[in-house]
Amino acid sequence: MKWFLYAMSLYFIAVGSCIILYTGETRGVMAKMLKGIDQRVLSAAPFLFGIAFLFAASASSNPWFIRLIGLMGIMKGIFIFFNPRDTYTELTDWLLESLSDQALRLWGIVALILGTAVLSWII
């Protein structure tokens, strides 16, 4: 499952870089993706990627952290699917409309660091 960790770390690096450099355009792409898909269908992606992270943990020198990412992905998928008190919709609206560009760039930096860390931990 090294290939999965390579792919996801490069994805995190690419998305983090886009968020940092092209904040407004990235926000527009995220709006199209998040608003154009039914949330129950969308919930399958983090759930399945979380399971894949759990299986790929053994290919890392820090498997506990990869498992933590996997468990968070599974919980996120369950959260999006059930959407208690319409919280997911409120969070999406906050992310796309109210969050400042500086805060969004901070998340881009976090994604860039996370991608680099996972890439460096692959055995």
Side-chain angles (χ1 to χ4, degrees):
M1 293 289 290
K2 284 183 184 182
W3 61 270
F4 177 76
L5 290 179
Y6 278 119
M8 290 308 297
S9 61
L10 293 176
Y11 173 75
F12 285 147
I13 291 170
V15 169
S17 299
C18 286
I19 290 173
I20 294 168
L21 297 174
Y22 307 107
T23 307
E25 292 85 355
T26 306
R27 193 185 300 251
V29 169
M30 287 190 308
K32 287 180 186 175
M33 288 174 45
L34 294 175
K35 300 244 180 188
I37 301 173
D38 181 31
Q39 71 185 30
R40 295 190 189 261
V41 174
L42 183 66
S43 69
F47 186 81
L48 294 175
F49 280 109
I51 291 172
F53 268 111
L54 290 179
F55 285 120
S58 62
S60 173
S61 61
N62 290 334
W64 64 272
F65 191 77
I66 304 300
R67 285 188 189 105
L68 178 66
I69 294 172
L71 290 174
M72 289 186 336
I74 291 170
M75 289 188 302
K76 181 178 179 179
I78 293 169
F79 172 75
I80 293 171
F81 186 79
F82 290 110
N83 193 12
R85 292 177 291 184
D86 209 31
T87 308
Y88 174 72
T89 309
E90 292 176 12
L91 285 173
T92 304
D93 291 340
W94 170 75
L95 172 70
L96 298 175
E97 297 167 11
S98 301
L99 188 66
S100 70
D101 286 349
Q102 290 82 8
L104 191 59
R105 284 189 182 107
L106 175 65
W107 283 111
I109 292 169
V110 170
L112 187 65
I113 292 170
L114 179 65
T116 305
V118 170
L119 187 63
S120 68
W121 291 336
I122 298 173
I123 299 173

